[in-house]
Amino acid sequence: MIGQEPQVGDLVWDEATRKVGRLMDRIGTRWQLRPAGGGREWDAMGPLRPATAAESLSAGVARANARSRGEQL
């Protein structure tokens, strides 16, 4: 993130995958992110930035849609 270090629990935008994730941990140069609604973690190399309100809302809608389809999160 430019100018500041994200904190565990922050919602961030992963530029490489173009996804919103909740920061779970940092190991070396990799950030471990998890989808906002839960699910499988992924490693991000950065750059990361705080998720906008619109990106956070979009992630929540996607989670609700998946849940309505009966998908496991």
Side-chain angles (χ1 to χ4, degrees):
M1 292 177 88
I2 299 171
Q4 66 177 339
E5 189 89 359
Q7 302 297 310
V8 170
D10 287 351
L11 280 177
V12 296
W13 175 258
D14 178 5
E15 295 285 341
T17 62
R18 302 183 54 81
K19 296 191 301 188
V20 172
R22 188 165 305 280
L23 180 61
M24 304 306 289
D25 199 2
R26 181 177 185 176
I27 300 174
T29 60
R30 296 180 185 262
W31 303 93
Q32 291 187 315
L33 304 178
R34 179 171 292 187
R40 180 175 283 186
E41 289 184 1
W42 76 92
D43 288 340
M45 296 292 289
L48 303 177
R49 64 166 171 76
T52 66
E55 291 162 347
S56 298
L57 179 61
S58 179
V61 169
R63 181 179 68 245
N65 287 342
R67 201 173 318 158
S68 74
R69 291 189 299 265
E71 295 176 14
Q72 294 287 331
L73 300 178

